[in-house]
Amino acid sequence: MILLRRNLIMSHEKYGSMIQTLHECMTACNHCYDACLKEDDVKMMADCIRMDRECADICGFLEQALVRGTPFASELAQACATICEACGNECKNHDHKHCQDCAEACFKCAEECKKLAA
């Protein structure tokens, strides 16, 4: 039990900044997703909503995987970078503040994921 706890603490310390960035991106994507559903033309926001969900899900998964000390950090980070970048590119096409904020969080997360993947 002590060894397991020590490994979790070490994983959290090792990836603390990355975990925070992933959490912020996941939160921004979830907010954007919810706000897009409230827009007048929801159909126009369909691709944004879809990308928000994909991005929030992969960020949440990678966050959890890093906390538990996954041996696949690099591979998961590469996939996360790809998805975050795609979500950011979709969100930046919309003028809504929630989309612009989401794009910013996604691009920041993509860059951090690329560093981890390298």
Side-chain angles (χ1 to χ4, degrees), residues 2 8 34 36 39 42 47 55 61 75 78-79 91-92 100 113:
I2 292 171
L8 289 176
D34 185 60
C36 285
E39 293 295 338
V42 174
D47 288 339
C55 193
F61 182 80
E75 294 87 349
Q78 182 58 52
C91 285
K92 78 177 184 178
Q100 294 300 310
C113 284

Side-chain angles (χ1 to χ4, degrees), residues 57-77:
D57 287 350
I58 190 68
C59 286
F61 182 80
L62 180 54
E63 178 183 358
Q64 292 173 34
L66 291 176
V67 168
R68 65 178 176 261
T70 181
F72 302 105
S74 179
E75 294 87 349
L76 292 170

Side-chain angles (χ1 to χ4, degrees), residues 5-113:
R5 182 174 287 152
R6 185 174 290 147
N7 284 341
L8 289 176
I9 291 169
M10 289 176 16
S11 293
H12 181 70
E13 289 171 355
K14 181 178 180 181
Y15 297 117
S17 175
M18 182 75 231
I19 290 167
Q20 181 65 33
T21 300
L22 287 161
H23 192 78
E24 289 170 3
C25 187
M26 178 185 67
T27 300
C29 288
N30 280 328
H31 173 71
C32 188
Y33 167 84
D34 185 60
C36 285
L37 288 173
K38 296 173 184 168
E39 293 295 338
D40 291 333
D41 189 358
V42 174
K43 193 169 190 167
M44 181 188 77
M45 304 304 293
D47 288 339
C48 190
I49 293 167
R50 183 174 295 110
M51 290 308 306
D52 286 337
R53 290 303 324 134
E54 295 288 341
C55 193
D57 287 350
I58 190 68
C59 286
F61 182 80
L62 180 54
E63 178 183 358
Q64 292 173 34
L66 291 176
V67 168
R68 65 178 176 261
T70 181
F72 302 105
S74 179
E75 294 87 349
L76 292 170
Q78 182 58 52
C80 192
T82 300
I83 294 168
C84 285
E85 204 163 280
C87 187
N89 285 329
E90 175 59 35
C91 285
K92 78 177 184 178
N93 292 327
H94 304 281
D95 293 331
H96 307 99
K97 181 172 177 8
H98 57 85
C99 289
Q100 294 300 310
D101 291 346
C102 187
E104 183 179 328
C106 287
F107 290 136
K108 178 182 175 186
C109 193
E111 288 307 309
E112 291 301 312
C113 284

